[in-house]
Amino acid sequence: MSSFGTGIAGLVGTVVFLMGMLSFCQRRWLVGCAWLISGVFLIGLLTFLDKPGLHQSEPPAVRSTGG
């Protein structure tokens, strides 16, 4: 994962975690669980979309034949 993608996933994770904790503090258990579960799926999606080699602008890797 690139450093930019890691930063975005960390920022999204922080916001979702804080929204979940705020919901738990207000005793809205269902909403808090929904925030945390959706955050896990969103971070997973961001991680999947930021795979190396997914971007067409990057040059293909060159492998040496060892010879």
Side-chain angles (χ1 to χ4, degrees), residues 21-42:
M21 291 299 109
L22 178 66
S23 297
F24 285 135
C25 289
Q26 295 176 351
R27 297 188 188 274
R28 299 178 69 190
W29 309 113
L30 188 62
V31 176
C33 287
W35 270 108
L36 294 179
I37 291 170
S38 66
V40 168
F41 285 116
L42 185 59

Side-chain angles (χ1 to χ4, degrees), residues 6 9 18 22-23 27-28 30 32 41 43 45 48-50 53-54 56 61-62 66:
T6 303
L18 290 176
L22 178 66
S23 297
R27 297 188 188 274
R28 299 178 69 190
L30 188 62
F41 285 116
I43 291 173
L45 177 66
F48 175 75
L49 292 176
D50 196 39
L54 184 68
Q56 296 298 325
V62 177

